[in-house]
Amino acid sequence: MTVLSTLAPVPSDEIFALNRAYATDDNPQKVSLGVGVYRTDDGKPWPLPVVCEAEQRLLAEDSPFRHEYTAIEGDMAFLELARDLMFGFSSKDTSEELQNTKGRIGSVQTVAGTGANHLGALFLATQMKPKRVWLSNPSWANHLTIWELAGVPRKTYPYYNATTRSLDFTGMMATLEEEAEEGDAILLHACAHNPTGLDPNKEQWKEIADLCERKKLFPFFDSAYQGFASGSADEDAWAVRYFLNEKPNMEMCVAQSFSKNFGLYGQRVGAFHYVLPNGDQKLRDIVVNNLCHLIRGEYSMGPTGGCNIVKKVLTNDELTAQWHEDLKIMSSRIKSMRKALYEELVRLQTPGSWKHIVEQNGMFSYTGLTPSQVYALKDKYHVYLLKSGRASISGLSKKNVTYVAQAIDDIVRNVN
Ligand code: LMR
């Protein structure tokens, strides 16, 4: 008899289970608003033109080193570019001040954003040993899994006000003020909060930073949508950079993903940055060395394929400029689809207010649809979204937005 005879099944991941259900649905009108991936107006994946160009150049180079091992911490040149993009460092700035700030940051390559979150959680769990981690309610479901696997007890702070369909900033701050304790980690979405699409404004970010500093909480940023949300890589990194520059005595970390902003989903490109407090630069190499220990025991080093593409783009001014244009194309198409869905629902006089769809930011809309309405949308109309009501706006197009709005209208009128 197998030693696994008591093995119990775990619930399958909702996002990828939905993806599979969608793929096997042969209804021609089906619409995928599930997984967060960019789609064109024809509902097709979009290898970014700049990525295609970088691939061509890499192919032409025919480097014999292209499949070699890198280092355990990853590709050094890539890591510097990733760090500079995240924290807004200019390669032309050689000031001592910037060298000092760079000296605070230890970076390693990861298996995309999930890998960066996981590595960071594992590192904190083994070194800092936080009593608990605070996650927004709701948060990306995988955050729960990642911290569960790292063995850190999870608590949630209020984030979403279901009545007003807006950010519950007061609730968030009150809970953290009253219940969070020194040394707790707090997970923050750098921009384009997943799943709600609701981000704190700059004044609110400042208050969060003050609270973290005052209560000695450890900010753990998840940055999965830099440049993808607003179309500006600088704007989407504002909160992370504010914490870095305005709270130099605080430590924190950032999980950085290139999946969405370069459209390199399956390539698994990412980085983890640990930011030491000013004055502790001497510890940076030891931090990296400890991260390398975890990496070596788990995956030896990050994959090179996608990382070489990002490196090719970010080391060339012309390609970097083209990438910024590609970001604008993606973010503006998503914004136009938010508007189109909103206008259709208003035109149909669908009961309720739908303004939140255009007010939310990034890949998702937290529609406010109930689990039974979500189920009915799938069952009756073959429109797929998460049971929380999260819809990946990128799945909408000029061709299907009327159909989706009519489906929502019918369901909202007839299902609770
Ligand atoms: C999502 O939330 O749909 C994406 O971030 C994909 C994923 O890995 O869950």
Side-chain angles (χ1 to χ4, degrees):
M1 198 205 219
T2 170
V3 291
L4 299 179
S5 55
T6 57
L7 187 68
V10 288
S12 47
D13 181 87
E14 187 196 4
I15 295 172
F16 284 92
L18 204 64
N19 223 15
R20 198 164 46 199
Y22 172 80
T24 52
D25 184 340
D26 50 20
N27 187 293
Q29 285 193 297
K30 66 180 178 175
V31 181
S32 173
L33 307 181
V35 65
V37 290
Y38 183 75
R39 290 289 177 258
T40 64
D41 210 42
D42 292 320
K44 302 252 163 58
W46 194 54
L48 269 56
V50 74
V51 165
C52 300
E53 176 61 31
E55 282 175 319
Q56 299 272 324
R57 292 189 190 187
L58 286 165
L59 200 63
E61 275 170 19
D62 195 22
S63 164
F65 295 100
R66 65 188 181 279
H67 300 308
E68 289 296 283
Y69 289 128
T70 50
I72 295 175
E73 52 264 66
D75 181 307
M76 307 292 186
F78 162 78
L79 285 171
E80 287 192 10
L81 292 161
R83 178 203 61 196
D84 292 358
L85 176 69
M86 186 72 253
F87 297 101
F89 303 152
S90 156
S91 57
K92 294 179 191 87
D93 182 347
T94 53
S95 68
E96 207 179 304
E97 193 192 343
L98 182 61
Q99 298 319 308
N100 188 56
T101 307
K102 284 182 178 174
R104 293 173 55 199
I105 307 172
S107 307
V108 291
Q109 202 182 317
T110 59
V111 183
T114 302
N117 273 280
H118 167 69
L119 179 72
L122 194 60
F123 180 62
L124 292 195
T126 48
Q127 300 306 324
M128 191 184 99
K129 302 189 174 56
K131 245 207 264 170
R132 56 227 173 144
V133 58
W134 289 89
L135 304 175
S136 59
N137 180 19
S139 195
W140 181 45
N142 211 16
H143 284 146
L144 283 113
T145 308
I146 286 167
W147 288 92
E148 179 203 322
L149 296 178
V152 178
R154 297 153 297 168
K155 294 273 282 180
T156 59
Y157 56 86
Y159 195 78
Y160 177 69
N161 181 327
T163 316
T164 56
R165 291 179 182 164
S166 61
L167 174 66
D168 182 7
F169 185 68
T170 315
M172 167 181 179
M173 296 303 274
T175 298
L176 291 171
E177 188 67 67
E178 280 159 33
E179 296 178 37
E181 288 172 24
E182 179 174 340
D184 285 354
I186 167 169
L187 199 127
L188 300 164
H189 300 225
C191 68
H193 184 270
N194 179 1
T196 65
L198 296 165
D199 293 323
N201 62 32
K202 289 181 183 167
E203 289 313 308
Q204 291 169 331
W205 274 122
K206 290 181 187 172
E207 286 186 47
I208 297 170
D210 287 345
L211 180 112
C212 290
E213 185 176 46
R214 187 160 33 79
K215 292 195 63 94
K216 299 196 170 47
L217 309 181
F218 184 97
F220 189 124
F221 277 101
D222 185 359
S223 175
Y225 297 93
Q226 188 186 0
F228 186 94
S230 69
S232 156
D234 290 335
E235 187 61 24
D236 291 345
W238 189 90
V240 170
R241 294 177 189 176
Y242 179 85
F243 275 62
L244 174 81
N245 296 318
E246 303 303 320
K247 303 289 176 194
N249 297 323
M250 216 160 75
E251 56 198 308
M252 64 173 189
C253 66
V254 184
Q256 180 184 23
S257 167
F258 290 86
S259 299
K260 326 280 173 173
N261 55 8
F262 273 81
L264 289 169
Y265 305 95
Q267 290 281 357
R268 315 313 289 144
V269 193
F272 175 73
H273 308 281
Y274 192 95
V275 183
L276 286 157
N278 195 24
D280 276 329
Q281 279 84 343
K282 58 186 180 308
L283 278 175
R284 185 185 70 168
D285 291 351
I286 303 180
V287 169
V288 171
N289 155 270
N290 273 269
L291 289 166
C292 284
H293 181 64
L294 298 177
I295 292 172
R296 179 63 167 150
E298 194 160 345
Y299 58 96
S300 276
M301 66 199 58
T304 52
C307 142
N308 283 337
I309 295 172
V310 170
K311 201 164 69 165
K312 189 69 137 183
V313 172
L314 295 180
T315 44
N316 179 293
D317 288 347
E318 168 216 344
L319 293 183
T320 302
Q322 195 186 330
W323 174 58
H324 288 289
E325 290 311 308
D326 291 350
L327 284 174
K328 289 196 190 103
I329 291 173
M330 293 192 284
S331 59
S332 58
R333 199 188 85 73
I334 291 183
K335 281 185 197 135
S336 72
M337 281 304 120
R338 285 186 183 281
K339 190 159 169 286
L341 178 62
Y342 169 68
E343 284 172 358
E344 273 303 303
L345 292 170
V346 169
R347 194 181 61 77
L348 294 166
Q349 299 183 345
T350 309
S353 159
W354 301 96
K355 195 96 189 99
H356 56 283
I357 294 178
V358 276
E359 286 165 356
Q360 295 160 348
N361 182 33
M363 184 78 98
F364 305 111
S365 174
Y366 214 48
T367 58
L369 295 169
T370 64
S372 354
Q373 290 170 336
V374 167
Y375 184 76
L377 273 172
K378 176 170 161 229
D379 207 34
K380 187 166 174 192
Y381 289 101
H382 304 263
V383 175
Y384 291 73
L385 55 155
L386 303 195
K387 69 172 182 298
S388 62
R390 187 195 87 168
S392 179
I393 293 295
S394 185
L396 294 173
S397 68
K398 288 197 198 85
K399 296 187 192 86
N400 67 22
V401 68
T402 317
Y403 171 74
V404 171
Q406 276 163 357
I408 293 176
D409 183 73
D410 172 37
I411 296 300
V412 166
R413 289 179 197 278
N414 296 303
V415 180
N416 285 322

